PDB file of all heavy atoms in Angstrom:
ATOM      1  N   VAL G 945       4.009   2.210 -17.821  1.00  0.00           N
ATOM      2  CA  VAL G 945       5.292   1.806 -17.240  1.00  0.00           C
ATOM      3  C   VAL G 945       5.316   0.301 -16.996  1.00  0.00           C
ATOM      4  O   VAL G 945       4.379  -0.265 -16.418  1.00  0.00           O
ATOM      5  CB  VAL G 945       5.548   2.555 -15.917  1.00  0.00           C
ATOM      6  CG1 VAL G 945       6.936   2.222 -15.372  1.00  0.00           C
ATOM      7  CG2 VAL G 945       5.404   4.071 -16.124  1.00  0.00           C
ATOM      8  N   PHE G 946       6.409  -0.355 -17.438  1.00  0.00           N
ATOM      9  CA  PHE G 946       6.589  -1.788 -17.230  1.00  0.00           C
ATOM     10  C   PHE G 946       7.885  -2.057 -16.475  1.00  0.00           C
ATOM     11  O   PHE G 946       8.860  -1.308 -16.594  1.00  0.00           O
ATOM     12  CB  PHE G 946       6.657  -2.533 -18.573  1.00  0.00           C
ATOM     13  CG  PHE G 946       5.331  -2.822 -19.197  1.00  0.00           C
ATOM     14  CD1 PHE G 946       4.673  -1.855 -19.941  1.00  0.00           C
ATOM     15  CD2 PHE G 946       4.731  -4.066 -19.053  1.00  0.00           C
ATOM     16  CE1 PHE G 946       3.452  -2.113 -20.522  1.00  0.00           C
ATOM     17  CE2 PHE G 946       3.505  -4.342 -19.624  1.00  0.00           C
ATOM     18  CZ  PHE G 946       2.865  -3.362 -20.362  1.00  0.00           C
ATOM     19  N   HIS G 947       7.880  -3.143 -15.726  1.00  0.00           N
ATOM     20  CA  HIS G 947       9.108  -3.638 -15.092  1.00  0.00           C
ATOM     21  C   HIS G 947       8.992  -5.153 -14.962  1.00  0.00           C
ATOM     22  O   HIS G 947       8.009  -5.663 -14.430  1.00  0.00           O
ATOM     23  CB  HIS G 947       9.322  -3.015 -13.713  1.00  0.00           C
ATOM     24  CG  HIS G 947      10.715  -3.218 -13.179  1.00  0.00           C
ATOM     25  ND1 HIS G 947      11.211  -4.449 -12.807  1.00  0.00           N
ATOM     26  CD2 HIS G 947      11.740  -2.340 -13.005  1.00  0.00           C
ATOM     27  CE1 HIS G 947      12.452  -4.337 -12.397  1.00  0.00           C
ATOM     28  NE2 HIS G 947      12.802  -3.058 -12.509  1.00  0.00           N
ATOM     29  N   SER G 948       9.968  -5.857 -15.514  1.00  0.00           N
ATOM     30  CA  SER G 948       9.986  -7.331 -15.471  1.00  0.00           C
ATOM     31  C   SER G 948       8.711  -7.921 -16.054  1.00  0.00           C
ATOM     32  O   SER G 948       8.179  -8.915 -15.544  1.00  0.00           O
ATOM     33  CB  SER G 948      10.196  -7.830 -14.030  1.00  0.00           C
ATOM     34  OG  SER G 948      11.396  -7.324 -13.500  1.00  0.00           O
ATOM     35  N   GLY G 949       8.213  -7.309 -17.124  1.00  0.00           N
ATOM     36  CA  GLY G 949       7.026  -7.822 -17.806  1.00  0.00           C
ATOM     37  C   GLY G 949       5.707  -7.456 -17.159  1.00  0.00           C
ATOM     38  O   GLY G 949       4.648  -7.851 -17.653  1.00  0.00           O
ATOM     39  N   LYS G 950       5.745  -6.689 -16.078  1.00  0.00           N
ATOM     40  CA  LYS G 950       4.515  -6.338 -15.362  1.00  0.00           C
ATOM     41  C   LYS G 950       4.220  -4.851 -15.518  1.00  0.00           C
ATOM     42  O   LYS G 950       5.103  -4.016 -15.347  1.00  0.00           O
ATOM     43  CB  LYS G 950       4.648  -6.682 -13.875  1.00  0.00           C
ATOM     44  CG  LYS G 950       4.883  -8.161 -13.610  1.00  0.00           C
ATOM     45  CD  LYS G 950       5.087  -8.409 -12.125  1.00  0.00           C
ATOM     46  CE  LYS G 950       5.353  -9.881 -11.850  1.00  0.00           C
ATOM     47  NZ  LYS G 950       5.570 -10.147 -10.406  1.00  0.00           N
ATOM     48  N   PRO G 951       2.969  -4.510 -15.830  1.00  0.00           N
ATOM     49  CA  PRO G 951       2.589  -3.096 -15.946  1.00  0.00           C
ATOM     50  C   PRO G 951       2.336  -2.479 -14.575  1.00  0.00           C
ATOM     51  O   PRO G 951       1.950  -3.159 -13.627  1.00  0.00           O
ATOM     52  CB  PRO G 951       1.303  -3.153 -16.768  1.00  0.00           C
ATOM     53  CG  PRO G 951       0.697  -4.469 -16.404  1.00  0.00           C
ATOM     54  CD  PRO G 951       1.857  -5.412 -16.184  1.00  0.00           C
ATOM     55  N   LEU G 952       2.526  -1.163 -14.499  1.00  0.00           N
ATOM     56  CA  LEU G 952       2.235  -0.433 -13.263  1.00  0.00           C
ATOM     57  C   LEU G 952       0.739  -0.123 -13.237  1.00  0.00           C
ATOM     58  O   LEU G 952       0.206   0.550 -14.130  1.00  0.00           O
ATOM     59  CB  LEU G 952       3.056   0.860 -13.210  1.00  0.00           C
ATOM     60  CG  LEU G 952       2.982   1.652 -11.902  1.00  0.00           C
ATOM     61  CD1 LEU G 952       3.538   0.829 -10.735  1.00  0.00           C
ATOM     62  CD2 LEU G 952       3.757   2.966 -12.030  1.00  0.00           C
ATOM     63  N   ILE G 953       0.062  -0.630 -12.217  1.00  0.00           N
ATOM     64  CA  ILE G 953      -1.389  -0.515 -12.100  1.00  0.00           C
ATOM     65  C   ILE G 953      -1.753   0.330 -10.883  1.00  0.00           C
ATOM     66  O   ILE G 953      -1.186   0.146  -9.796  1.00  0.00           O
ATOM     67  CB  ILE G 953      -2.043  -1.906 -11.961  1.00  0.00           C
ATOM     68  CG1 ILE G 953      -1.711  -2.783 -13.175  1.00  0.00           C
ATOM     69  CG2 ILE G 953      -3.544  -1.792 -11.773  1.00  0.00           C
ATOM     70  CD1 ILE G 953      -2.296  -2.293 -14.479  1.00  0.00           C
ATOM     71  N   HIS G 954      -2.698   1.243 -11.086  1.00  0.00           N
ATOM     72  CA  HIS G 954      -3.254   1.971  -9.953  1.00  0.00           C
ATOM     73  C   HIS G 954      -4.382   1.111  -9.381  1.00  0.00           C
ATOM     74  O   HIS G 954      -5.426   0.925 -10.021  1.00  0.00           O
ATOM     75  CB  HIS G 954      -3.784   3.338 -10.386  1.00  0.00           C
ATOM     76  CG  HIS G 954      -4.298   4.162  -9.252  1.00  0.00           C
ATOM     77  ND1 HIS G 954      -5.608   4.112  -8.822  1.00  0.00           N
ATOM     78  CD2 HIS G 954      -3.669   5.047  -8.438  1.00  0.00           C
ATOM     79  CE1 HIS G 954      -5.769   4.931  -7.809  1.00  0.00           C
ATOM     80  NE2 HIS G 954      -4.617   5.513  -7.544  1.00  0.00           N
ATOM     81  N   VAL G 955      -4.152   0.575  -8.219  1.00  0.00           N
ATOM     82  CA  VAL G 955      -5.076  -0.386  -7.623  1.00  0.00           C
ATOM     83  C   VAL G 955      -6.194   0.344  -6.895  1.00  0.00           C
ATOM     84  O   VAL G 955      -5.944   1.175  -6.007  1.00  0.00           O
ATOM     85  CB  VAL G 955      -4.340  -1.326  -6.653  1.00  0.00           C
ATOM     86  CG1 VAL G 955      -5.314  -2.340  -6.050  1.00  0.00           C
ATOM     87  CG2 VAL G 955      -3.201  -2.037  -7.361  1.00  0.00           C
ATOM     88  N   SER G 956      -7.422   0.027  -7.277  1.00  0.00           N
ATOM     89  CA  SER G 956      -8.575   0.669  -6.643  1.00  0.00           C
ATOM     90  C   SER G 956      -8.776   0.137  -5.229  1.00  0.00           C
ATOM     91  O   SER G 956      -8.692  -1.063  -4.973  1.00  0.00           O
ATOM     92  CB  SER G 956      -9.838   0.422  -7.478  1.00  0.00           C
ATOM     93  OG  SER G 956     -10.976   0.924  -6.809  1.00  0.00           O
ATOM     94  N   SER G 957      -9.054   1.040  -4.317  1.00  0.00           N
ATOM     95  CA  SER G 957      -9.318   0.651  -2.925  1.00  0.00           C
ATOM     96  C   SER G 957     -10.800   0.623  -2.618  1.00  0.00           C
ATOM     97  O   SER G 957     -11.204   0.297  -1.503  1.00  0.00           O
ATOM     98  CB  SER G 957      -8.619   1.635  -1.980  1.00  0.00           C
ATOM     99  OG  SER G 957      -9.069   2.963  -2.226  1.00  0.00           O
ATOM    100  N   GLU G 958     -11.629   0.948  -3.627  1.00  0.00           N
ATOM    101  CA  GLU G 958     -13.069   0.976  -3.426  1.00  0.00           C
ATOM    102  C   GLU G 958     -13.717  -0.280  -3.996  1.00  0.00           C
ATOM    103  O   GLU G 958     -13.476  -0.631  -5.154  1.00  0.00           O
ATOM    104  CB  GLU G 958     -13.671   2.210  -4.102  1.00  0.00           C
ATOM    105  CG  GLU G 958     -13.144   3.526  -3.558  1.00  0.00           C
ATOM    106  CD  GLU G 958     -13.778   4.715  -4.250  1.00  0.00           C
ATOM    107  OE1 GLU G 958     -14.720   4.493  -5.049  1.00  0.00           O
ATOM    108  OE2 GLU G 958     -13.346   5.847  -3.996  1.00  0.00           O
ATOM    109  N   PRO G 959     -14.532  -0.976  -3.221  1.00  0.00           N
ATOM    110  CA  PRO G 959     -15.204  -2.193  -3.703  1.00  0.00           C
ATOM    111  C   PRO G 959     -16.056  -1.910  -4.936  1.00  0.00           C
ATOM    112  O   PRO G 959     -16.767  -0.903  -5.005  1.00  0.00           O
ATOM    113  CB  PRO G 959     -16.079  -2.609  -2.508  1.00  0.00           C
ATOM    114  CG  PRO G 959     -15.438  -1.964  -1.325  1.00  0.00           C
ATOM    115  CD  PRO G 959     -14.858  -0.670  -1.815  1.00  0.00           C
ATOM    116  N   GLY G 960     -15.959  -2.777  -5.927  1.00  0.00           N
ATOM    117  CA  GLY G 960     -16.756  -2.631  -7.131  1.00  0.00           C
ATOM    118  C   GLY G 960     -16.194  -1.663  -8.143  1.00  0.00           C
ATOM    119  O   GLY G 960     -16.779  -1.467  -9.211  1.00  0.00           O
ATOM    120  N   SER G 961     -15.083  -1.045  -7.832  1.00  0.00           N
ATOM    121  CA  SER G 961     -14.470  -0.076  -8.734  1.00  0.00           C
ATOM    122  C   SER G 961     -13.269  -0.710  -9.430  1.00  0.00           C
ATOM    123  O   SER G 961     -12.468  -1.420  -8.803  1.00  0.00           O
ATOM    124  CB  SER G 961     -14.029   1.168  -7.965  1.00  0.00           C
ATOM    125  OG  SER G 961     -13.366   2.076  -8.807  1.00  0.00           O
ATOM    126  N   ASN G 962     -13.134  -0.464 -10.746  1.00  0.00           N
ATOM    127  CA  ASN G 962     -12.036  -1.042 -11.508  1.00  0.00           C
ATOM    128  C   ASN G 962     -10.704  -0.388 -11.164  1.00  0.00           C
ATOM    129  O   ASN G 962     -10.630   0.820 -10.934  1.00  0.00           O
ATOM    130  CB  ASN G 962     -12.269  -0.861 -13.014  1.00  0.00           C
ATOM    131  CG  ASN G 962     -13.243  -1.884 -13.565  1.00  0.00           C
ATOM    132  OD1 ASN G 962     -13.554  -2.868 -12.910  1.00  0.00           O
ATOM    133  ND2 ASN G 962     -13.728  -1.632 -14.766  1.00  0.00           N
ATOM    134  N   SER G 963      -9.655  -1.213 -11.156  1.00  0.00           N
ATOM    135  CA  SER G 963      -8.307  -0.664 -11.131  1.00  0.00           C
ATOM    136  C   SER G 963      -8.010  -0.130 -12.531  1.00  0.00           C
ATOM    137  O   SER G 963      -8.711  -0.449 -13.492  1.00  0.00           O
ATOM    138  CB  SER G 963      -7.298  -1.751 -10.738  1.00  0.00           C
ATOM    139  OG  SER G 963      -7.547  -2.210  -9.420  1.00  0.00           O
ATOM    140  N   THR G 964      -6.964   0.668 -12.679  1.00  0.00           N
ATOM    141  CA  THR G 964      -6.660   1.283 -13.967  1.00  0.00           C
ATOM    142  C   THR G 964      -5.163   1.245 -14.248  1.00  0.00           C
ATOM    143  O   THR G 964      -4.352   1.061 -13.326  1.00  0.00           O
ATOM    144  CB  THR G 964      -7.122   2.756 -13.999  1.00  0.00           C
ATOM    145  OG1 THR G 964      -6.477   3.478 -12.943  1.00  0.00           O
ATOM    146  CG2 THR G 964      -8.635   2.855 -13.848  1.00  0.00           C
ATOM    147  N   ILE G 965      -4.817   1.412 -15.522  1.00  0.00           N
ATOM    148  CA  ILE G 965      -3.409   1.595 -15.868  1.00  0.00           C
ATOM    149  C   ILE G 965      -2.932   2.896 -15.240  1.00  0.00           C
ATOM    150  O   ILE G 965      -3.614   3.915 -15.319  1.00  0.00           O
ATOM    151  CB  ILE G 965      -3.220   1.706 -17.393  1.00  0.00           C
ATOM    152  CG1 ILE G 965      -3.822   0.514 -18.126  1.00  0.00           C
ATOM    153  CG2 ILE G 965      -1.751   1.847 -17.738  1.00  0.00           C
ATOM    154  CD1 ILE G 965      -3.824   0.677 -19.639  1.00  0.00           C
ATOM    155  N   PHE G 966      -1.751   2.873 -14.635  1.00  0.00           N
ATOM    156  CA  PHE G 966      -1.184   4.137 -14.195  1.00  0.00           C
ATOM    157  C   PHE G 966      -0.513   4.789 -15.398  1.00  0.00           C
ATOM    158  O   PHE G 966       0.409   4.231 -15.987  1.00  0.00           O
ATOM    159  CB  PHE G 966      -0.156   3.957 -13.080  1.00  0.00           C
ATOM    160  CG  PHE G 966       0.433   5.268 -12.635  1.00  0.00           C
ATOM    161  CD1 PHE G 966      -0.260   6.092 -11.767  1.00  0.00           C
ATOM    162  CD2 PHE G 966       1.662   5.698 -13.113  1.00  0.00           C
ATOM    163  CE1 PHE G 966       0.259   7.314 -11.370  1.00  0.00           C
ATOM    164  CE2 PHE G 966       2.189   6.915 -12.736  1.00  0.00           C
ATOM    165  CZ  PHE G 966       1.487   7.729 -11.863  1.00  0.00           C
ATOM    166  N   LEU G 967      -0.975   5.959 -15.779  1.00  0.00           N
ATOM    167  CA  LEU G 967      -0.460   6.670 -16.941  1.00  0.00           C
ATOM    168  C   LEU G 967       0.445   7.795 -16.461  1.00  0.00           C
ATOM    169  O   LEU G 967      -0.022   8.822 -15.959  1.00  0.00           O
ATOM    170  CB  LEU G 967      -1.608   7.207 -17.786  1.00  0.00           C
ATOM    171  CG  LEU G 967      -2.530   6.129 -18.379  1.00  0.00           C
ATOM    172  CD1 LEU G 967      -3.736   6.773 -19.058  1.00  0.00           C
ATOM    173  CD2 LEU G 967      -1.757   5.262 -19.373  1.00  0.00           C
ATOM    174  N   ALA G 968       1.749   7.591 -16.622  1.00  0.00           N
ATOM    175  CA  ALA G 968       2.726   8.552 -16.122  1.00  0.00           C
ATOM    176  C   ALA G 968       2.894   9.721 -17.085  1.00  0.00           C
ATOM    177  O   ALA G 968       2.681   9.588 -18.298  1.00  0.00           O
ATOM    178  CB  ALA G 968       4.070   7.860 -15.915  1.00  0.00           C
ATOM    179  N   THR G 969       3.273  10.863 -16.554  1.00  0.00           N
ATOM    180  CA  THR G 969       3.602  12.017 -17.374  1.00  0.00           C
ATOM    181  C   THR G 969       5.091  11.962 -17.744  1.00  0.00           C
ATOM    182  O   THR G 969       5.855  11.174 -17.179  1.00  0.00           O
ATOM    183  CB  THR G 969       3.322  13.322 -16.626  1.00  0.00           C
ATOM    184  OG1 THR G 969       4.183  13.395 -15.476  1.00  0.00           O
ATOM    185  CG2 THR G 969       1.868  13.381 -16.169  1.00  0.00           C
ATOM    186  N   TYR G 970       5.471  12.817 -18.660  1.00  0.00           N
ATOM    187  CA  TYR G 970       6.882  12.868 -19.072  1.00  0.00           C
ATOM    188  C   TYR G 970       7.789  13.210 -17.892  1.00  0.00           C
ATOM    189  O   TYR G 970       8.855  12.603 -17.724  1.00  0.00           O
ATOM    190  CB  TYR G 970       7.067  13.891 -20.192  1.00  0.00           C
ATOM    191  CG  TYR G 970       8.508  14.033 -20.636  1.00  0.00           C
ATOM    192  CD1 TYR G 970       9.081  13.115 -21.513  1.00  0.00           C
ATOM    193  CD2 TYR G 970       9.299  15.086 -20.167  1.00  0.00           C
ATOM    194  CE1 TYR G 970      10.400  13.233 -21.908  1.00  0.00           C
ATOM    195  CE2 TYR G 970      10.622  15.212 -20.561  1.00  0.00           C
ATOM    196  CZ  TYR G 970      11.175  14.286 -21.435  1.00  0.00           C
ATOM    197  OH  TYR G 970      12.478  14.400 -21.813  1.00  0.00           O
ATOM    198  N   ASP G 971       7.378  14.153 -17.066  1.00  0.00           N
ATOM    199  CA  ASP G 971       8.206  14.541 -15.921  1.00  0.00           C
ATOM    200  C   ASP G 971       8.433  13.381 -14.956  1.00  0.00           C
ATOM    201  O   ASP G 971       9.473  13.315 -14.286  1.00  0.00           O
ATOM    202  CB  ASP G 971       7.552  15.712 -15.175  1.00  0.00           C
ATOM    203  CG  ASP G 971       7.664  17.024 -15.946  1.00  0.00           C
ATOM    204  OD1 ASP G 971       8.551  17.128 -16.816  1.00  0.00           O
ATOM    205  OD2 ASP G 971       6.846  17.937 -15.676  1.00  0.00           O
ATOM    206  N   GLN G 972       7.483  12.472 -14.872  1.00  0.00           N
ATOM    207  CA  GLN G 972       7.611  11.352 -13.938  1.00  0.00           C
ATOM    208  C   GLN G 972       8.572  10.271 -14.426  1.00  0.00           C
ATOM    209  O   GLN G 972       9.078   9.493 -13.620  1.00  0.00           O
ATOM    210  CB  GLN G 972       6.232  10.742 -13.669  1.00  0.00           C
ATOM    211  CG  GLN G 972       5.323  11.636 -12.842  1.00  0.00           C
ATOM    212  CD  GLN G 972       3.932  11.070 -12.704  1.00  0.00           C
ATOM    213  OE1 GLN G 972       3.276  10.711 -13.685  1.00  0.00           O
ATOM    214  NE2 GLN G 972       3.447  10.974 -11.467  1.00  0.00           N
ATOM    215  N   ILE G 973       8.808  10.201 -15.740  1.00  0.00           N
ATOM    216  CA  ILE G 973       9.666   9.125 -16.262  1.00  0.00           C
ATOM    217  C   ILE G 973      10.897   9.642 -17.014  1.00  0.00           C
ATOM    218  O   ILE G 973      11.686   8.844 -17.500  1.00  0.00           O
ATOM    219  CB  ILE G 973       8.859   8.182 -17.191  1.00  0.00           C
ATOM    220  CG1 ILE G 973       8.177   8.961 -18.337  1.00  0.00           C
ATOM    221  CG2 ILE G 973       7.804   7.420 -16.389  1.00  0.00           C
ATOM    222  CD1 ILE G 973       8.985   9.171 -19.551  1.00  0.00           C
ATOM    223  N   LYS G 974      11.079  10.961 -17.081  1.00  0.00           N
ATOM    224  CA  LYS G 974      12.152  11.511 -17.916  1.00  0.00           C
ATOM    225  C   LYS G 974      13.545  11.048 -17.495  1.00  0.00           C
ATOM    226  O   LYS G 974      14.449  10.945 -18.331  1.00  0.00           O
ATOM    227  CB  LYS G 974      12.088  13.034 -17.921  1.00  0.00           C
ATOM    228  CG  LYS G 974      12.284  13.693 -16.566  1.00  0.00           C
ATOM    229  CD  LYS G 974      12.123  15.208 -16.677  1.00  0.00           C
ATOM    230  CE  LYS G 974      12.319  15.883 -15.328  1.00  0.00           C
ATOM    231  NZ  LYS G 974      12.138  17.371 -15.432  1.00  0.00           N
ATOM    232  N   ASN G 975      13.732  10.747 -16.207  1.00  0.00           N
ATOM    233  CA  ASN G 975      15.051  10.303 -15.740  1.00  0.00           C
ATOM    234  C   ASN G 975      15.400   8.894 -16.188  1.00  0.00           C
ATOM    235  O   ASN G 975      16.549   8.465 -16.084  1.00  0.00           O
ATOM    236  CB  ASN G 975      15.116  10.382 -14.213  1.00  0.00           C
ATOM    237  CG  ASN G 975      15.063  11.811 -13.705  1.00  0.00           C
ATOM    238  OD1 ASN G 975      15.487  12.745 -14.387  1.00  0.00           O
ATOM    239  ND2 ASN G 975      14.530  11.991 -12.501  1.00  0.00           N
ATOM    240  N   PHE G 976      14.401   8.153 -16.693  1.00  0.00           N
ATOM    241  CA  PHE G 976      14.635   6.763 -17.098  1.00  0.00           C
ATOM    242  C   PHE G 976      14.809   6.601 -18.605  1.00  0.00           C
ATOM    243  O   PHE G 976      15.194   5.527 -19.076  1.00  0.00           O
ATOM    244  CB  PHE G 976      13.458   5.887 -16.650  1.00  0.00           C
ATOM    245  CG  PHE G 976      13.263   5.834 -15.163  1.00  0.00           C
ATOM    246  CD1 PHE G 976      12.357   6.681 -14.540  1.00  0.00           C
ATOM    247  CD2 PHE G 976      13.989   4.953 -14.382  1.00  0.00           C
ATOM    248  CE1 PHE G 976      12.163   6.641 -13.181  1.00  0.00           C
ATOM    249  CE2 PHE G 976      13.808   4.904 -13.010  1.00  0.00           C
ATOM    250  CZ  PHE G 976      12.892   5.748 -12.400  1.00  0.00           C
ATOM    251  N   ILE G 977      14.503   7.641 -19.368  1.00  0.00           N
ATOM    252  CA  ILE G 977      14.436   7.502 -20.822  1.00  0.00           C
ATOM    253  C   ILE G 977      15.770   7.064 -21.450  1.00  0.00           C
ATOM    254  O   ILE G 977      15.791   6.279 -22.396  1.00  0.00           O
ATOM    255  CB  ILE G 977      13.934   8.822 -21.458  1.00  0.00           C
ATOM    256  CG1 ILE G 977      12.430   8.970 -21.201  1.00  0.00           C
ATOM    257  CG2 ILE G 977      14.204   8.855 -22.960  1.00  0.00           C
ATOM    258  CD1 ILE G 977      11.810  10.209 -21.804  1.00  0.00           C
ATOM    259  N   GLU G 978      16.890   7.540 -20.929  1.00  0.00           N
ATOM    260  CA  GLU G 978      18.182   7.264 -21.541  1.00  0.00           C
ATOM    261  C   GLU G 978      18.547   5.783 -21.538  1.00  0.00           C
ATOM    262  O   GLU G 978      19.197   5.300 -22.465  1.00  0.00           O
ATOM    263  CB  GLU G 978      19.288   8.056 -20.840  1.00  0.00           C
ATOM    264  CG  GLU G 978      19.209   9.560 -21.100  1.00  0.00           C
ATOM    265  CD  GLU G 978      20.378  10.295 -20.485  1.00  0.00           C
ATOM    266  OE1 GLU G 978      21.233   9.622 -19.858  1.00  0.00           O
ATOM    267  OE2 GLU G 978      20.446  11.533 -20.616  1.00  0.00           O
ATOM    268  N   ASP G 979      18.158   5.041 -20.512  1.00  0.00           N
ATOM    269  CA  ASP G 979      18.564   3.628 -20.431  1.00  0.00           C
ATOM    270  C   ASP G 979      17.369   2.677 -20.332  1.00  0.00           C
ATOM    271  O   ASP G 979      17.450   1.607 -19.732  1.00  0.00           O
ATOM    272  CB  ASP G 979      19.510   3.396 -19.253  1.00  0.00           C
ATOM    273  CG  ASP G 979      18.902   3.808 -17.916  1.00  0.00           C
ATOM    274  OD1 ASP G 979      17.783   4.353 -17.915  1.00  0.00           O
ATOM    275  OD2 ASP G 979      19.551   3.593 -16.876  1.00  0.00           O
ATOM    276  N   ALA G 980      16.233   3.076 -20.906  1.00  0.00           N
ATOM    277  CA  ALA G 980      15.043   2.217 -20.896  1.00  0.00           C
ATOM    278  C   ALA G 980      14.462   2.131 -22.297  1.00  0.00           C
ATOM    279  O   ALA G 980      14.682   3.008 -23.134  1.00  0.00           O
ATOM    280  CB  ALA G 980      13.996   2.773 -19.927  1.00  0.00           C
ATOM    281  N   TYR G 981      13.759   1.039 -22.578  1.00  0.00           N
ATOM    282  CA  TYR G 981      13.058   0.911 -23.853  1.00  0.00           C
ATOM    283  C   TYR G 981      11.848   1.843 -23.845  1.00  0.00           C
ATOM    284  O   TYR G 981      11.045   1.842 -22.913  1.00  0.00           O
ATOM    285  CB  TYR G 981      12.576  -0.523 -24.062  1.00  0.00           C
ATOM    286  CG  TYR G 981      13.638  -1.468 -24.547  1.00  0.00           C
ATOM    287  CD1 TYR G 981      14.057  -2.540 -23.775  1.00  0.00           C
ATOM    288  CD2 TYR G 981      14.224  -1.303 -25.800  1.00  0.00           C
ATOM    289  CE1 TYR G 981      15.027  -3.419 -24.221  1.00  0.00           C
ATOM    290  CE2 TYR G 981      15.200  -2.175 -26.256  1.00  0.00           C
ATOM    291  CZ  TYR G 981      15.591  -3.226 -25.459  1.00  0.00           C
ATOM    292  OH  TYR G 981      16.560  -4.089 -25.898  1.00  0.00           O
ATOM    293  N   LEU G 982      11.723   2.649 -24.911  1.00  0.00           N
ATOM    294  CA  LEU G 982      10.599   3.553 -25.058  1.00  0.00           C
ATOM    295  C   LEU G 982       9.905   3.236 -26.374  1.00  0.00           C
ATOM    296  O   LEU G 982      10.512   3.296 -27.444  1.00  0.00           O
ATOM    297  CB  LEU G 982      11.069   5.002 -25.039  1.00  0.00           C
ATOM    298  CG  LEU G 982       9.992   6.091 -24.982  1.00  0.00           C
ATOM    299  CD1 LEU G 982       9.208   5.990 -23.679  1.00  0.00           C
ATOM    300  CD2 LEU G 982      10.616   7.469 -25.105  1.00  0.00           C
ATOM    301  N   LEU G 983       8.628   2.868 -26.321  1.00  0.00           N
ATOM    302  CA  LEU G 983       7.912   2.347 -27.480  1.00  0.00           C
ATOM    303  C   LEU G 983       6.621   3.120 -27.702  1.00  0.00           C
ATOM    304  O   LEU G 983       5.832   3.309 -26.774  1.00  0.00           O
ATOM    305  CB  LEU G 983       7.581   0.864 -27.266  1.00  0.00           C
ATOM    306  CG  LEU G 983       8.719  -0.004 -26.719  1.00  0.00           C
ATOM    307  CD1 LEU G 983       8.190  -1.354 -26.287  1.00  0.00           C
ATOM    308  CD2 LEU G 983       9.809  -0.144 -27.757  1.00  0.00           C
ATOM    309  N   PHE G 984       6.382   3.541 -28.933  1.00  0.00           N
ATOM    310  CA  PHE G 984       5.164   4.274 -29.268  1.00  0.00           C
ATOM    311  C   PHE G 984       4.016   3.295 -29.466  1.00  0.00           C
ATOM    312  O   PHE G 984       4.114   2.338 -30.226  1.00  0.00           O
ATOM    313  CB  PHE G 984       5.375   5.097 -30.537  1.00  0.00           C
ATOM    314  CG  PHE G 984       4.161   5.839 -31.000  1.00  0.00           C
ATOM    315  CD1 PHE G 984       3.578   6.809 -30.200  1.00  0.00           C
ATOM    316  CD2 PHE G 984       3.588   5.574 -32.238  1.00  0.00           C
ATOM    317  CE1 PHE G 984       2.452   7.509 -30.619  1.00  0.00           C
ATOM    318  CE2 PHE G 984       2.473   6.260 -32.671  1.00  0.00           C
ATOM    319  CZ  PHE G 984       1.899   7.229 -31.861  1.00  0.00           C
ATOM    320  N   LEU G 985       2.889   3.555 -28.786  1.00  0.00           N
ATOM    321  CA  LEU G 985       1.722   2.675 -28.870  1.00  0.00           C
ATOM    322  C   LEU G 985       0.633   3.227 -29.783  1.00  0.00           C
ATOM    323  O   LEU G 985      -0.008   2.459 -30.506  1.00  0.00           O
ATOM    324  CB  LEU G 985       1.131   2.444 -27.471  1.00  0.00           C
ATOM    325  CG  LEU G 985       2.052   1.814 -26.434  1.00  0.00           C
ATOM    326  CD1 LEU G 985       1.341   1.726 -25.080  1.00  0.00           C
ATOM    327  CD2 LEU G 985       2.520   0.436 -26.889  1.00  0.00           C
TER     328      LEU G 985
END
């Protein structure tokens, strides 16, 4: 998920642990598909 050029990141709260890309499911983003850019990676 992107907004204003920035990706949605799951920020780690544990020291020494990497943050990760937040990977949304279809149900979480289905309401946005009609008016958002959707690109196959």
Side-chain angles (χ1 to χ4, degrees):
V945 185
F946 279 82
H947 194 292
S948 302
K950 299 177 181 179
L952 187 62
I953 301 294
H954 183 271
V955 181
S956 174
S957 58
E958 299 180 7
S961 176
N962 281 346
S963 296
T964 58
I965 305 172
F966 180 80
L967 297 173
T969 64
Y970 178 80
D971 287 339
Q972 290 175 308
I973 55 87
K974 62 183 180 181
N975 293 332
F976 298 96
I977 286 181
E978 290 185 0
D979 58 355
Y981 280 116
L982 189 64
L983 315 168
F984 177 62
L985 301 177

